[in-house]
Amino acid sequence: MGSPNAGETDPKTDSIDDTRHESGSDTDSNTDCDRDDLPLPLPAPGLSQFEEGEKVLAKHKDCFYEAKVLTVEYQVNKWKYFVHYIGWNKSWDEWKGVECLLKHTEENIEKQKELGVKQGVKSAMAWKVSKMKPRSPNVARGRKRKQDSVDTVISPLEKNVVPSDNLLNFHIPPALRKQLIDDCEFVTQLHKLVQLPRSPNVDDIFKKYIDSKTKKHGRVTDSVEEVLKGLRCYFNKALPVMLLYNNERKQYEETVSVDVSPSAVYGAEHLLRLFVKLPELLVHVNMTEETLKELQDNFVDILRFLRKNQSVFFVSTYKAVEEMKKED
């Protein structure tokens, strides 16, 4: 996967002959014709439902995302569409059949939102995981820090964060911001990785958070449990899409299988990356001012919990792939 900041160019469009498509051997002939006559052409295919340059909703791994049709071709007796997912690097461009595309209409967009809820993405705060745009992982190259001040350094994960229409705004504590920068440098510059599976993993951390709230207040409110469920769902959806650096992808593919959730494999290092992306992921979610305030307070409290347990939750040593293989 390339950097999300890389320039994108549309692939060249092959010319399409809509009037003639031959099948079978070109030596077949019609006995009523002279032998010099060409084989009879097949009927022209029906009109394509989508055009080049048209904005559509394209299906990718059971979810529909905004895309643009780059090329239209009639292949093997059916229309095929080469689409580019808006917001993704061009490496994700792919061919799709008509059954995988929908017209980009408000009605279809609303249907997909409802589908996301029916599939179990439920929340009192109307979190819509299905609305998450399939962006390529932020694999912007790490760079050396010019100053030691954390406030003057921006992690590559933060470069493309979109300001939220809902003004979702919370500050990551300076110690955790430094953790993000160190994390970036270990992975992108020193080419070292967090050894997996992590202990505690994300699921463990959320359980410990609930235990700490219960110990302090005697119980955990439904809203806190709802937030944790939403965070876990977002983490599992977002990790392979936008929380990995390029040189972590092979490790992900070797470690996470279909029946294993990322939250059971990854730990605090990658969970912290999610908090950087949350304003972007929630930018289109409509929330009341009261709900927004409650959500922000919960995020701040969870970050405070991560900071308080930083020495326990985060690894102090990243390892080269060769070191991990020797230990195995």
Side-chain angles (χ1 to χ4, degrees):
M1 303 282 294
S3 166
N5 296 324
E8 300 181 3
T9 56
D10 293 347
K12 293 183 179 179
T13 304
D14 297 328
S15 59
I16 304 172
D17 186 349
D18 287 330
T19 61
R20 180 184 180 124
H21 296 270
E22 297 179 358
S23 65
S25 170
D26 56 8
T27 59
D28 293 342
S29 62
N30 188 315
T31 55
D32 294 330
C33 299
D34 293 333
R35 65 180 181 179
D36 292 333
D37 288 342
L38 294 173
L40 292 175
L42 294 174
L47 294 176
S48 169
Q49 294 186 32
F50 303 95
E51 301 176 352
E52 290 181 13
E54 182 177 351
K55 192 174 182 181
V56 297
L57 296 176
K59 189 175 183 179
H60 182 84
K61 293 186 178 180
D62 298 326
C63 290
F64 281 86
Y65 302 107
E66 292 184 337
K68 178 182 179 182
V69 177
L70 301 180
T71 306
V72 179
E73 288 188 5
Y74 192 70
Q75 305 173 359
V76 196
N77 299 326
K78 64 168 64 174
W79 287 105
K80 299 286 285 185
Y81 305 89
F82 192 68
V83 301
H84 167 69
Y85 294 99
I86 298 173
W88 286 31
N89 185 274
K90 65 179 181 180
S91 62
W92 288 88
D93 295 357
E94 60 182 341
W95 287 99
K96 288 291 184 183
V98 66
E99 70 279 359
C100 293
L101 300 183
L102 293 174
K103 289 289 184 180
H104 192 278
T105 63
E106 288 300 323
E107 181 181 2
N108 283 335
I109 292 173
E110 287 302 316
K111 283 182 179 179
Q112 292 314 306
K113 287 182 181 179
E114 293 172 5
L115 180 61
V117 173
K118 290 177 182 178
Q119 289 175 337
V121 185
K122 300 178 180 179
S123 170
M125 288 166 284
W127 286 21
K128 301 291 195 298
V129 173
S130 61
K131 186 65 180 177
M132 184 187 299
K133 295 184 178 180
R135 301 174 64 85
S136 58
N138 281 292
V139 294
R141 300 183 184 280
R143 58 187 181 188
K144 291 193 179 293
R145 288 176 284 181
K146 295 181 180 179
Q147 301 181 41
D148 289 333
S149 172
V150 175
D151 293 333
T152 63
V153 182
I154 300 178
S155 165
L157 288 168
E158 299 175 278
K159 287 183 178 179
N160 296 314
V161 172
V162 179
S164 171
D165 293 340
N166 290 324
L167 301 179
L168 181 65
N169 185 27
F170 54 89
H171 296 288
I172 295 177
L176 293 182
R177 286 181 60 82
K178 183 179 185 302
Q179 185 82 44
L180 280 167
I181 301 305
D182 291 342
D183 173 60
C184 171
E185 291 187 351
F186 271 120
V187 177
T188 63
Q189 294 183 26
L190 300 179
H191 303 289
K192 293 188 175 184
L193 307 177
V194 173
Q195 188 162 14
L196 301 177
R198 285 284 289 111
S199 180
N201 57 39
V202 171
D203 290 340
D204 295 333
I205 291 172
F206 286 165
K207 185 178 184 304
K208 290 178 183 294
Y209 178 72
I210 290 178
D211 290 343
S212 71
K213 299 291 286 185
T214 303
K215 184 177 180 180
K216 185 176 181 180
H217 302 289
R219 61 182 295 272
V220 176
T221 63
D222 291 340
S223 63
V224 170
E225 291 186 346
E226 201 68 57
V227 167
L228 293 178
K229 287 179 183 178
L231 280 175
R232 183 179 185 276
C233 192
Y234 265 93
F235 181 81
N236 289 330
K237 291 280 187 179
L239 185 123
V241 177
M242 60 175 64
L243 301 183
L244 295 177
Y245 292 106
N246 194 40
N247 46 340
E248 292 178 303
R249 295 205 64 79
K250 184 177 180 181
Q251 183 190 40
Y252 168 81
E253 292 166 0
E254 293 175 345
T255 309
V256 180
S257 58
V258 176
D259 57 344
V260 176
S261 298
S263 60
V265 176
Y266 288 82
E269 300 78 21
H270 292 77
L271 175 60
L272 185 56
R273 298 182 194 179
L274 175 67
F275 279 90
V276 175
K277 284 294 185 180
L278 282 175
E280 177 183 353
L281 296 179
L282 296 172
V283 67
H284 295 293
V285 178
N286 293 320
M287 289 181 280
T288 65
E289 185 175 346
E290 181 181 354
T291 299
L292 180 62
K293 176 66 167 58
E294 182 182 7
L295 188 59
Q296 289 183 165
D297 289 345
N298 277 298
F299 288 165
V300 169
D301 193 56
I302 295 170
L303 285 169
R304 189 181 297 119
F305 179 72
L306 291 176
R307 171 65 188 92
K308 182 179 179 180
N309 296 278
Q310 189 170 357
S311 61
V312 178
F313 289 167
F314 292 85
V315 294
S316 57
T317 305
Y318 287 58
K319 297 183 179 181
V321 175
E322 294 75 17
E323 293 179 70
M324 298 182 193
K325 288 182 178 178
K326 286 180 181 179
E327 292 180 5
D328 292 340

